[in-house]
Coordinates of all heavy atoms in Angstrom, one line a residue:
M1 N 1.6 -0.9 -21.9 CA 2.2 0.4 -21.7 C 1.6 1.4 -22.6 O 1.5 2.5 -22.3 CB 3.7 0.2 -21.8 CG 4.5 -0.5 -20.6 SD 4.2 0.2 -19.1 CE 4.8 2.0 -19.2
T2 N 1.2 0.9 -23.8 CA 0.7 1.7 -24.9 C -0.6 2.3 -24.5 O -0.9 3.4 -24.5 CB 0.6 1.0 -26.2 OG1 1.9 0.4 -26.5 CG2 0.0 1.9 -27.3
A3 N -1.4 1.5 -23.8 CA -2.8 1.9 -23.3 C -2.6 2.9 -22.2 O -3.2 3.8 -22.1 CB -3.6 0.6 -22.9
L4 N -1.6 2.6 -21.3 CA -1.4 3.5 -20.2 C -0.9 4.9 -20.7 O -1.3 5.9 -20.2 CB -0.2 3.0 -19.3 CG -0.8 2.0 -18.3 CD1 0.3 1.4 -17.5 CD2 -1.8 2.5 -17.2
E5 N 0.1 4.9 -21.7 CA 0.4 6.1 -22.2 C -0.8 6.9 -22.9 O -0.7 8.2 -22.9 CB 1.5 5.9 -23.2 CG 2.8 5.4 -22.7 CD 3.7 4.8 -23.6 OE1 3.5 4.9 -24.8 OE2 4.9 4.2 -23.1
K6 N -1.7 6.3 -23.4 CA -3.0 7.0 -24.1 C -4.0 7.4 -23.0 O -4.9 8.1 -23.4 CB -3.5 6.2 -25.1 CG -2.5 5.9 -26.2 CD -3.2 4.9 -27.3 CE -2.2 4.7 -28.5 NZ -2.8 3.8 -29.3
A7 N -3.8 6.8 -21.8 CA -4.9 7.0 -20.8 C -5.1 8.4 -20.5 O -4.1 9.3 -20.3 CB -4.7 6.2 -19.7
T8 N -6.3 9.0 -20.3 CA -6.5 10.4 -19.8 C -7.1 10.6 -18.4 O -7.1 11.5 -17.9 CB -7.6 11.0 -20.8 OG1 -8.8 10.2 -20.7 CG2 -7.1 11.2 -22.2
G9 N -7.4 9.3 -17.7 CA -8.0 9.4 -16.5 C -7.0 8.6 -15.6 O -5.8 8.7 -15.7
D10 N -7.7 8.0 -14.6 CA -6.8 7.2 -13.6 C -6.9 5.7 -14.0 O -7.8 5.3 -14.5 CB -7.5 7.3 -12.2 CG -7.5 8.8 -11.7 OD1 -6.8 9.6 -12.3 OD2 -8.0 9.1 -10.5
A11 N -5.7 5.1 -13.8 CA -5.6 3.7 -14.2 C -5.1 3.0 -12.9 O -4.1 3.5 -12.2 CB -4.6 3.4 -15.3
V12 N -5.6 1.7 -12.6 CA -5.2 1.1 -11.5 C -4.9 -0.4 -11.8 O -5.6 -1.1 -12.6 CB -6.4 1.0 -10.4 CG1 -6.2 0.0 -9.3 CG2 -6.7 2.5 -9.9
F13 N -3.8 -0.9 -11.3 CA -3.6 -2.4 -11.6 C -4.2 -3.1 -10.4 O -3.9 -2.9 -9.2 CB -2.1 -2.6 -11.5 CG -1.6 -4.0 -11.7 CD1 -1.3 -4.3 -13.1 CD2 -1.5 -4.8 -10.7 CE1 -0.9 -5.7 -13.3 CE2 -1.1 -6.2 -11.0 CZ -0.8 -6.5 -12.3
K14 N -5.0 -4.1 -10.8 CA -5.8 -4.8 -9.6 C -5.7 -6.2 -9.9 O -6.1 -6.7 -11.0 CB -7.2 -4.2 -9.7 CG -8.1 -4.7 -8.5 CD -9.4 -4.0 -8.5 CE -10.2 -4.4 -7.3 NZ -11.4 -3.6 -7.2
F15 N -5.5 -6.9 -8.8 CA -5.7 -8.4 -8.9 C -6.5 -8.8 -7.8 O -6.5 -8.5 -6.6 CB -4.2 -9.0 -8.5 CG -4.2 -10.5 -8.3 CD1 -4.2 -11.3 -9.5 CD2 -4.4 -11.1 -7.1 CE1 -4.3 -12.7 -9.3 CE2 -4.4 -12.5 -7.0 CZ -4.4 -13.2 -8.1
E16 N -7.7 -9.7 -8.1 CA -8.7 -10.0 -7.2 C -8.2 -11.4 -6.8 O -7.9 -12.4 -7.5 CB -10.0 -10.1 -7.9 CG -10.6 -8.7 -8.5 CD -11.1 -7.9 -7.2 OE1 -11.4 -8.5 -6.3 OE2 -11.2 -6.7 -7.5
P17 N -8.5 -11.6 -5.5 CA -8.1 -13.0 -4.8 C -9.2 -14.0 -5.2 O -10.3 -13.8 -5.6 CB -8.1 -12.7 -3.4 CG -9.0 -11.5 -3.3 CD -8.8 -10.7 -4.4
F18 N -8.9 -15.2 -5.0 CA -9.7 -16.4 -5.1 C -11.0 -16.4 -4.0 O -10.8 -15.9 -3.1 CB -9.0 -17.7 -4.8 CG -9.7 -18.9 -4.7 CD1 -10.2 -19.6 -5.8 CD2 -10.1 -19.4 -3.5 CE1 -10.9 -20.8 -5.7 CE2 -10.8 -20.5 -3.4 CZ -11.2 -21.2 -4.6
V19 N -12.1 -16.5 -4.6 CA -13.3 -16.7 -4.0 C -14.2 -17.8 -4.4 O -14.4 -18.1 -5.6 CB -14.2 -15.4 -4.0 CG1 -15.5 -15.6 -3.2 CG2 -13.5 -14.1 -3.6
L20 N -14.6 -18.7 -3.4 CA -15.5 -19.8 -3.8 C -16.7 -19.7 -2.8 O -16.5 -19.7 -1.6 CB -14.7 -21.1 -3.6 CG -15.5 -22.4 -3.5 CD1 -16.1 -22.6 -5.0 CD2 -14.7 -23.6 -3.3
H21 N -17.9 -19.7 -3.3 CA -19.1 -19.8 -2.5 C -19.7 -21.2 -2.5 O -19.9 -21.7 -3.5 CB -20.1 -18.7 -2.9 CG -19.7 -17.3 -2.6 ND1 -19.2 -16.5 -3.7 CD2 -19.8 -16.6 -1.6 CE1 -18.8 -15.4 -3.2 NE2 -19.2 -15.3 -2.0
V22 N -20.0 -21.7 -1.3 CA -20.5 -23.0 -1.1 C -21.8 -22.9 -0.4 O -21.8 -22.5 0.8 CB -19.5 -24.0 -0.5 CG1 -20.1 -25.4 -0.2 CG2 -18.2 -24.0 -1.2
L23 N -22.8 -23.4 -0.9 CA -24.2 -23.5 -0.3 C -24.1 -24.9 0.6 O -24.0 -26.0 -0.1 CB -25.3 -23.6 -1.4 CG -26.7 -23.5 -0.6 CD1 -26.8 -22.1 0.1 CD2 -27.7 -23.5 -1.8
C24 N -24.3 -24.7 2.0 CA -24.4 -25.8 2.7 C -25.7 -26.2 3.3 O -26.5 -25.3 3.6 CB -23.4 -25.6 3.9 SG -21.6 -25.2 3.5
Q25 N -26.0 -27.6 3.4 CA -27.1 -27.8 4.0 C -27.4 -27.7 5.5 O -28.4 -27.3 6.0 CB -27.5 -29.4 3.7 CG -27.8 -29.7 2.3 CD -28.2 -31.2 2.1 OE1 -27.6 -32.0 2.5 NE2 -29.3 -31.3 1.5
E26 N -26.2 -27.8 6.2 CA -26.3 -27.7 7.8 C -25.2 -26.7 8.2 O -24.1 -26.7 7.5 CB -25.9 -29.1 8.3 CG -27.0 -30.2 7.9 CD -28.4 -30.1 8.5 OE1 -28.4 -29.4 9.6 OE2 -29.3 -30.4 7.9
L27 N -25.4 -26.2 9.2 CA -24.4 -25.3 9.9 C -23.1 -25.9 10.1 O -22.0 -25.5 10.0 CB -25.0 -24.5 11.1 CG -24.1 -23.4 11.7 CD1 -23.7 -22.5 10.6 CD2 -24.7 -22.9 12.8
Q28 N -23.2 -27.3 10.5 CA -22.0 -28.1 11.0 C -21.1 -28.3 9.7 O -20.0 -28.3 9.8 CB -22.4 -29.4 11.5 CG -23.4 -29.4 12.7 CD -24.4 -30.5 12.6 OE1 -24.7 -30.9 11.5 NE2 -24.8 -30.8 13.8
D29 N -21.8 -28.4 8.6 CA -21.0 -28.6 7.3 C -20.2 -27.3 7.0 O -19.0 -27.4 6.6 CB -21.9 -28.9 6.1 CG -22.7 -30.1 6.3 OD1 -22.2 -31.2 7.0 OD2 -23.9 -30.3 5.9
A30 N -20.9 -26.2 7.1 CA -20.3 -24.9 6.8 C -19.1 -24.7 7.9 O -18.0 -24.1 7.5 CB -21.3 -23.7 6.9
Q31 N -19.3 -25.0 9.1 CA -18.3 -24.9 10.1 C -17.0 -25.8 9.8 O -15.8 -25.2 10.0 CB -18.8 -25.2 11.6 CG -19.9 -24.0 12.0 CD -20.5 -24.5 13.4 OE1 -20.8 -25.7 13.5 NE2 -20.9 -23.5 14.1
M32 N -17.3 -26.9 9.3 CA -16.2 -27.9 9.1 C -15.4 -27.3 7.9 O -14.2 -27.2 7.9 CB -16.7 -29.3 8.7 CG -15.5 -30.3 8.5 SD -16.1 -31.9 8.0 CE -17.6 -32.1 8.7
L33 N -16.1 -26.9 6.8 CA -15.4 -26.2 5.6 C -14.7 -25.0 6.0 O -13.6 -24.8 5.5 CB -16.5 -26.1 4.6 CG -15.9 -25.4 3.3 CD1 -14.9 -26.4 2.6 CD2 -17.1 -25.2 2.4
H34 N -15.3 -24.2 6.9 CA -14.6 -23.1 7.3 C -13.3 -23.4 8.1 O -12.2 -22.6 7.8 CB -15.5 -22.2 8.3 CG -14.9 -20.9 8.8 ND1 -14.3 -20.9 10.0 CD2 -14.8 -19.7 8.2 CE1 -13.8 -19.6 10.1 NE2 -14.2 -18.8 9.0
S35 N -13.3 -24.3 9.0 CA -12.1 -24.8 9.5 C -11.1 -25.2 8.6 O -9.9 -24.9 8.7 CB -12.4 -25.9 10.5 OG -13.2 -25.4 11.6
V36 N -11.4 -26.0 7.7 CA -10.4 -26.5 6.7 C -9.9 -25.3 5.9 O -8.7 -25.3 5.6 CB -11.1 -27.6 5.7 CG1 -10.2 -27.9 4.5 CG2 -11.5 -28.8 6.5
A37 N -10.8 -24.3 5.4 CA -10.4 -23.2 4.6 C -9.3 -22.3 5.5 O -8.2 -21.9 4.9 CB -11.5 -22.4 4.3
V38 N -9.7 -22.0 6.7 CA -8.8 -21.2 7.5 C -7.5 -22.0 7.7 O -6.4 -21.3 7.7 CB -9.4 -20.7 8.8 CG1 -8.4 -20.3 9.8 CG2 -10.6 -19.8 8.5
D39 N -7.4 -23.2 8.0 CA -6.3 -24.0 8.3 C -5.4 -24.1 7.0 O -4.2 -24.3 7.1 CB -6.6 -25.4 8.8 CG -7.2 -25.4 10.2 OD1 -7.1 -24.3 10.9 OD2 -7.7 -26.4 10.6
S40 N -6.0 -23.9 5.8 CA -5.4 -24.0 4.6 C -4.8 -22.6 4.2 O -4.3 -22.5 3.0 CB -6.3 -24.6 3.4 OG -6.7 -25.9 3.7
G41 N -5.0 -21.6 4.9 CA -4.5 -20.3 4.6 C -5.4 -19.3 4.1 O -5.2 -18.1 3.7
F42 N -6.8 -19.8 4.0 CA -7.7 -18.9 3.4 C -8.4 -18.0 4.7 O -9.5 -18.3 5.0 CB -8.7 -19.6 2.5 CG -8.2 -20.2 1.3 CD1 -7.9 -21.5 1.4 CD2 -8.1 -19.5 0.3 CE1 -7.3 -22.1 0.3 CE2 -7.4 -20.0 -1.0 CZ -7.1 -21.3 -0.9
R43 N -7.7 -17.1 5.2 CA -8.0 -16.4 6.4 C -9.2 -15.5 6.3 O -9.9 -15.2 7.3 CB -6.9 -15.7 7.0 CG -5.7 -16.6 7.4 CD -4.6 -15.8 7.9 NE -4.0 -14.9 7.0 CZ -3.0 -15.1 6.1 NH1 -2.6 -16.4 6.0 NH2 -2.6 -14.2 5.4
N44 N -9.6 -15.0 5.1 CA -10.6 -14.1 4.9 C -12.1 -14.9 4.7 O -12.9 -14.3 4.3 CB -10.6 -13.2 3.9 CG -9.6 -12.2 4.2 OD1 -9.1 -12.0 5.3 ND2 -9.1 -11.4 3.1
S45 N -12.2 -16.2 5.0 CA -13.2 -17.1 4.8 C -14.3 -16.7 5.9 O -14.1 -16.3 6.9 CB -12.9 -18.6 4.8 OG -11.9 -18.8 3.8
G46 N -15.6 -17.0 5.5 CA -16.6 -16.7 6.5 C -18.0 -17.4 6.1 O -18.1 -18.0 5.0
I47 N -18.8 -17.5 7.1 CA -20.2 -18.1 7.0 C -21.2 -17.1 7.2 O -21.2 -16.2 7.9 CB -20.4 -19.1 8.1 CG1 -19.2 -20.4 8.0 CG2 -21.8 -19.8 8.0 CD1 -19.3 -21.3 9.3
T48 N -22.2 -17.2 6.3 CA -23.4 -16.2 6.4 C -24.6 -17.1 6.4 O -24.8 -18.1 5.7 CB -23.4 -15.2 5.2 OG1 -23.5 -15.9 4.0 CG2 -22.3 -14.3 5.3
V49 N -25.6 -16.7 7.1 CA -26.9 -17.4 7.2 C -28.0 -16.3 6.8 O -28.1 -15.3 7.4 CB -27.2 -17.9 8.6 CG1 -28.5 -18.6 8.5 CG2 -26.1 -18.9 9.1
G50 N -28.6 -16.5 5.7 CA -29.6 -15.7 5.1 C -31.0 -15.7 5.9 O -31.1 -16.6 6.7
R51 N -31.8 -14.7 5.6 CA -33.1 -14.7 6.3 C -33.9 -16.0 6.1 O -34.6 -16.4 7.2 CB -34.0 -13.5 5.8 CG -33.3 -12.2 6.2 CD -34.3 -11.1 5.6 NE -33.4 -9.9 5.6 CZ -33.9 -8.7 5.0 NH1 -34.9 -8.9 4.1 NH2 -33.1 -7.8 5.0
G52 N -33.9 -16.6 5.1 CA -34.5 -17.9 4.8 C -33.9 -19.1 5.4 O -34.2 -20.1 5.2
G53 N -32.7 -18.9 6.1 CA -32.1 -20.1 6.6 C -30.9 -20.5 5.6 O -30.3 -21.6 6.0
K54 N -30.8 -20.0 4.5 CA -29.7 -20.4 3.5 C -28.4 -20.1 4.2 O -28.0 -19.1 4.6 CB -29.9 -19.7 2.3 CG -29.0 -20.1 1.2 CD -29.3 -19.5 -0.3 CE -28.6 -18.2 -0.4 NZ -28.8 -17.8 -1.8
I55 N -27.5 -21.2 4.2 CA -26.3 -21.3 4.7 C -25.2 -21.1 3.7 O -25.2 -22.2 2.8 CB -26.0 -22.4 5.7 CG1 -27.1 -22.5 6.8 CG2 -24.6 -22.4 6.4 CD1 -27.2 -23.9 7.6
T56 N -24.4 -20.2 3.5 CA -23.3 -20.0 2.6 C -22.1 -19.9 3.3 O -21.8 -19.1 4.1 CB -23.6 -18.8 1.7 OG1 -24.9 -18.9 1.1 CG2 -22.6 -18.7 0.6
M57 N -21.1 -20.7 2.8 CA -19.7 -20.6 3.3 C -18.9 -20.1 2.1 O -18.9 -20.6 1.0 CB -19.2 -22.0 3.5 CG -17.7 -22.2 3.8 SD -17.0 -21.2 5.0 CE -15.3 -21.3 4.5
A58 N -18.1 -18.9 2.4 CA -17.3 -18.3 1.4 C -15.8 -18.5 1.7 O -15.4 -18.2 2.8 CB -17.7 -16.7 1.4
V59 N -15.2 -19.2 0.8 CA -13.6 -19.4 1.0 C -13.0 -18.3 0.2 O -13.2 -18.2 -1.0 CB -13.3 -20.7 0.4 CG1 -11.7 -21.1 0.4 CG2 -14.1 -22.0 0.9
R60 N -12.2 -17.5 1.0 CA -11.6 -16.3 0.4 C -10.1 -16.2 0.7 O -9.8 -16.5 1.9 CB -12.4 -15.0 1.0 CG -13.6 -14.9 0.5 CD -14.2 -13.5 0.9 NE -15.6 -13.4 0.9 CZ -16.4 -13.5 2.1 NH1 -15.9 -13.8 3.2 NH2 -17.7 -13.5 1.9
S61 N -9.4 -15.9 -0.4 CA -7.9 -15.8 -0.1 C -7.7 -14.3 0.2 O -8.5 -13.4 0.1 CB -7.3 -16.0 -1.6 OG -6.0 -15.6 -1.6
T62 N -6.5 -14.1 0.7 CA -6.1 -12.8 1.1 C -5.1 -12.2 0.0 O -4.5 -11.1 0.3 CB -5.3 -12.8 2.5 OG1 -4.2 -13.7 2.4 CG2 -6.2 -13.2 3.5
H63 N -4.9 -12.9 -1.1 CA -4.0 -12.5 -2.0 C -4.4 -11.4 -3.0 O -4.5 -11.6 -4.3 CB -3.5 -13.7 -2.9 CG -3.0 -14.7 -2.1 ND1 -3.4 -16.0 -1.9 CD2 -1.8 -14.9 -1.3 CE1 -2.9 -16.6 -1.1 NE2 -1.7 -15.9 -0.6
C64 N -4.8 -10.2 -2.6 CA -5.3 -9.1 -3.3 C -4.1 -8.2 -3.5 O -3.1 -8.1 -2.8 CB -6.5 -8.4 -2.7 SG -6.1 -7.7 -1.1
L65 N -4.3 -7.4 -4.7 CA -3.3 -6.3 -4.9 C -4.0 -5.2 -5.7 O -4.7 -5.5 -6.8 CB -2.3 -6.9 -5.7 CG -1.2 -6.0 -6.4 CD1 -0.2 -5.5 -5.1 CD2 -0.3 -6.9 -7.3
E66 N -3.8 -4.0 -5.3 CA -4.5 -2.8 -5.9 C -3.6 -1.7 -5.8 O -3.2 -1.2 -4.9 CB -5.8 -2.6 -5.4 CG -6.6 -1.5 -6.2 CD -8.0 -1.3 -5.7 OE1 -8.5 -2.0 -4.8 OE2 -8.7 -0.4 -6.2
V67 N -3.1 -1.2 -7.0 CA -2.1 -0.1 -7.1 C -2.4 0.9 -8.2 O -2.5 0.5 -9.3 CB -0.6 -0.7 -7.4 CG1 0.4 0.3 -7.5 CG2 -0.3 -1.8 -6.4
P68 N -2.5 2.0 -7.8 CA -2.7 3.1 -8.8 C -1.5 3.3 -9.8 O -0.3 3.3 -9.3 CB -2.9 4.5 -8.0 CG -2.7 4.1 -6.5 CD -2.4 2.6 -6.5
L69 N -1.7 3.4 -11.0 CA -0.6 3.6 -12.0 C -0.6 4.9 -12.5 O 0.4 5.4 -12.8 CB -0.9 2.5 -13.0 CG -0.8 1.0 -12.7 CD1 -1.0 0.2 -14.0 CD2 0.5 0.6 -12.0
S70 N -1.7 5.6 -12.8 CA -1.7 6.8 -13.4 C -2.9 7.7 -12.7 O -3.8 7.1 -12.1 CB -1.9 6.7 -14.8 OG -3.3 6.4 -15.2
H71 N -2.6 9.1 -12.8 CA -3.5 10.0 -12.3 C -3.8 11.1 -13.2 O -2.8 11.7 -13.6 CB -3.1 10.5 -10.8 CG -3.9 11.4 -10.2 ND1 -5.2 11.2 -9.7 CD2 -3.9 12.9 -9.9 CE1 -5.9 12.2 -9.3 NE2 -5.0 13.3 -9.4
K72 N -5.0 11.4 -13.7 CA -5.4 12.3 -14.6 C -4.6 12.3 -15.9 O -4.0 13.2 -16.4 CB -5.4 13.7 -14.0 CG -6.4 13.9 -12.9 CD -6.2 15.3 -12.3 CE -7.2 15.5 -11.2 NZ -7.1 16.8 -10.5
G73 N -4.3 11.0 -16.2 CA -3.5 10.7 -17.5 C -2.0 10.7 -17.4 O -1.4 10.3 -18.3
R74 N -1.5 11.1 -16.1 CA -0.2 11.1 -16.0 C 0.3 9.7 -15.3 O -0.1 9.4 -14.2 CB 0.3 12.3 -15.1 CG 1.7 12.4 -14.8 CD 2.1 13.8 -14.0 NE 3.5 13.6 -13.7 CZ 3.9 13.7 -12.4 NH1 3.1 13.7 -11.4 NH2 5.3 13.7 -12.2
L75 N 1.2 9.1 -15.9 CA 1.8 7.8 -15.6 C 2.6 8.1 -14.3 O 3.4 8.9 -14.3 CB 2.6 7.2 -16.5 CG 3.0 5.8 -16.3 CD1 1.8 4.8 -16.1 CD2 4.0 5.2 -17.4
M76 N 2.3 7.5 -13.2 CA 3.0 7.7 -11.8 C 4.1 6.8 -11.5 O 4.7 7.0 -10.4 CB 2.0 7.8 -10.7 CG 0.7 8.6 -10.9 SD 1.3 10.4 -11.1 CE 1.8 10.8 -9.5
V77 N 4.3 5.6 -12.3 CA 5.3 4.7 -12.0 C 6.0 4.3 -13.3 O 5.6 4.6 -14.3 CB 4.5 3.3 -11.5 CG1 3.8 3.6 -10.1 CG2 3.6 2.8 -12.4
S78 N 7.1 3.6 -13.1 CA 7.9 3.2 -14.2 C 7.5 2.0 -14.9 O 6.8 1.1 -14.3 CB 9.4 3.2 -13.7 OG 9.5 2.0 -12.9
E79 N 8.0 1.7 -16.0 CA 7.6 0.5 -16.7 C 8.2 -0.7 -15.9 O 7.6 -1.7 -15.9 CB 8.1 0.5 -18.1 CG 7.8 -0.8 -19.0 CD 8.2 -0.7 -20.3 OE1 8.5 0.4 -20.9 OE2 8.1 -1.7 -21.1
E80 N 9.4 -0.5 -15.4 CA 10.1 -1.4 -14.7 C 9.1 -1.9 -13.4 O 9.0 -3.1 -13.1 CB 11.3 -1.1 -14.1 CG 12.1 -2.0 -13.3 CD 13.4 -1.5 -12.7 OE1 13.7 -0.3 -12.9 OE2 14.2 -2.2 -12.2
Y81 N 8.5 -0.9 -12.8 CA 7.7 -1.3 -11.6 C 6.4 -1.9 -12.1 O 5.9 -2.9 -11.3 CB 7.2 0.0 -10.9 CG 6.5 -0.1 -9.6 CD1 7.1 -0.8 -8.5 CD2 5.1 0.2 -9.6 CE1 6.3 -1.0 -7.3 CE2 4.3 0.0 -8.4 CZ 5.0 -0.5 -7.4 OH 4.3 -0.8 -6.2
I82 N 6.0 -1.5 -13.1 CA 4.7 -2.4 -13.7 C 5.0 -3.7 -14.0 O 4.3 -4.7 -13.6 CB 4.1 -1.6 -15.1 CG1 3.5 -0.2 -14.6 CG2 3.0 -2.4 -15.7 CD1 3.1 0.7 -15.7
E83 N 6.2 -4.0 -14.6 CA 6.6 -5.4 -14.8 C 6.8 -6.1 -13.4 O 6.3 -7.3 -13.4 CB 7.9 -5.3 -15.5 CG 7.9 -4.9 -17.0 CD 9.2 -4.7 -17.7 OE1 10.2 -5.1 -17.0 OE2 9.2 -4.4 -18.9
F84 N 7.2 -5.5 -12.4 CA 7.4 -6.0 -11.1 C 5.9 -6.4 -10.6 O 5.7 -7.6 -10.1 CB 8.1 -5.0 -10.2 CG 8.0 -5.5 -8.7 CD1 8.7 -6.6 -8.3 CD2 7.2 -4.7 -7.8 CE1 8.7 -6.9 -6.9 CE2 7.0 -5.2 -6.5 CZ 7.8 -6.3 -5.9
L85 N 4.8 -5.5 -10.8 CA 3.6 -5.8 -10.2 C 3.0 -6.9 -11.1 O 2.3 -7.8 -10.4 CB 2.7 -4.5 -10.6 CG 2.9 -3.3 -9.7 CD1 2.1 -2.2 -10.2 CD2 2.7 -3.6 -8.3
V86 N 3.2 -7.1 -12.3 CA 2.8 -8.2 -13.1 C 3.4 -9.5 -12.4 O 2.7 -10.5 -12.3 CB 3.1 -8.2 -14.5 CG1 2.8 -9.3 -15.3 CG2 2.4 -6.9 -15.2
H87 N 4.6 -9.4 -12.2 CA 5.4 -10.7 -11.6 C 4.7 -11.1 -10.3 O 4.5 -12.2 -10.0 CB 6.7 -10.4 -11.5 CG 7.7 -11.4 -10.7 ND1 8.0 -12.7 -11.4 CD2 8.1 -11.5 -9.5 CE1 8.6 -13.4 -10.6 NE2 8.7 -12.7 -9.3
V88 N 4.5 -10.0 -9.4 CA 3.8 -10.3 -8.1 C 2.5 -10.8 -8.2 O 2.2 -11.8 -7.6 CB 3.8 -9.0 -7.3 CG1 3.0 -9.1 -6.1 CG2 5.3 -8.7 -6.9
A89 N 1.8 -10.3 -9.1 CA 0.4 -10.8 -9.4 C 0.3 -12.2 -9.8 O -0.4 -13.0 -9.6 CB -0.4 -9.8 -10.5
N90 N 1.3 -12.5 -10.8 CA 1.4 -13.9 -11.2 C 1.7 -14.8 -10.1 O 1.2 -15.9 -10.2 CB 2.4 -14.0 -12.4 CG 1.9 -13.4 -13.6 OD1 0.7 -13.4 -13.9 ND2 2.7 -13.0 -14.6
Q91 N 2.5 -14.5 -9.2 CA 2.9 -15.3 -8.1 C 1.7 -15.5 -7.2 O 1.4 -16.6 -6.7 CB 4.0 -14.6 -7.1 CG 5.4 -14.8 -7.7 CD 6.5 -14.1 -6.9 OE1 6.2 -13.0 -6.4 NE2 7.6 -14.8 -6.8
K92 N 0.9 -14.5 -7.0 CA -0.3 -14.5 -6.3 C -1.3 -15.5 -6.9 O -2.0 -16.2 -6.2 CB -1.0 -13.1 -6.0 CG -0.1 -12.3 -5.0 CD -0.8 -10.9 -4.9 CE -0.1 -10.1 -4.0 NZ -0.1 -10.5 -2.5
M93 N -1.4 -15.5 -8.3 CA -2.3 -16.4 -9.0 C -1.8 -17.8 -8.8 O -2.7 -18.7 -8.5 CB -2.2 -16.1 -10.4 CG -3.1 -17.0 -11.2 SD -4.9 -17.0 -10.7 CE -5.4 -15.6 -11.7
E94 N -0.5 -18.0 -8.7 CA -0.1 -19.4 -8.5 C -0.4 -19.8 -7.0 O -0.8 -21.0 -6.8 CB 1.5 -19.4 -8.6 CG 2.0 -19.4 -10.1 CD 1.5 -20.5 -10.9 OE1 1.6 -21.8 -10.4 OE2 1.1 -20.4 -12.1
E95 N -0.3 -18.9 -6.1 CA -0.7 -19.2 -4.7 C -2.2 -19.5 -4.6 O -2.5 -20.5 -3.9 CB -0.4 -18.1 -3.7 CG 1.2 -17.9 -3.6 CD 1.5 -16.6 -2.9 OE1 0.6 -16.1 -2.1 OE2 2.7 -16.2 -2.9
N96 N -2.9 -18.8 -5.4 CA -4.4 -19.1 -5.4 C -4.7 -20.5 -5.9 O -5.6 -21.2 -5.5 CB -5.2 -18.1 -6.4 CG -5.5 -16.8 -5.8 OD1 -5.7 -16.7 -4.5 ND2 -5.9 -15.8 -6.6
I97 N -4.0 -20.8 -7.0 CA -4.2 -22.2 -7.6 C -3.7 -23.3 -6.5 O -4.5 -24.3 -6.4 CB -3.4 -22.4 -8.8 CG1 -3.9 -21.5 -9.9 CG2 -3.2 -23.8 -9.4 CD1 -3.0 -21.4 -11.1

């Protein structure tokens, strides 16, 4: 809160979701991992194949959170709301684990 009160620009509360990149030897391996990831709730997962044939499977969570807190140095939310955001972000971190 002290840092936010001293802020002169825009401040954003941001929680980044879990991401795991796996290099796969075969496309079938990536497809199997993708199925497991999606079935486990990691709906933003995907497979990419590079120009050289490199197959990468990305396991991605949907548990992101991004909320503006201040604009041009003016705090736009209450301390109670920031405490709520921290609680929500901590819950999302537990879900990531």
Side-chain angles (χ1 to χ4, degrees):
M1 289 307 300
T2 302
L4 281 173
E5 290 166 3
K6 294 178 183 177
T8 58
D10 295 351
V12 176
F13 184 94
K14 188 171 186 177
F15 174 83
E16 294 285 341
F18 170 80
V19 178
L20 172 67
H21 290 101
V22 180
L23 187 60
C24 301
Q25 283 188 314
E26 302 290 331
L27 184 56
Q28 305 141 329
D29 300 330
Q31 290 171 326
M32 185 184 331
L33 181 56
H34 181 263
S35 293
V36 170
V38 171
D39 290 346
S40 297
F42 295 99
R43 295 181 301 274
N44 285 349
S45 299
I47 300 169
T48 57
V49 180
R51 290 184 199 162
K54 184 168 93 172
I55 303 165
T56 304
M57 167 54 204
V59 180
R60 292 188 199 101
S61 171
T62 59
H63 301 115
C64 61
L65 178 67
E66 187 170 355
V67 180
L69 300 178
S70 69
H71 179 65
K72 296 182 181 177
R74 181 172 172 242
L75 189 60
M76 305 300 290
V77 297
S78 68
E79 184 173 351
E80 180 182 6
Y81 185 68
I82 293 172
E83 289 172 5
F84 170 73
L85 289 175
V86 170
H87 176 74
V88 170
N90 285 336
Q91 283 180 320
K92 289 178 180 290
M93 180 61 83
E94 287 297 318
E95 291 173 17
N96 274 340
I97 292 170

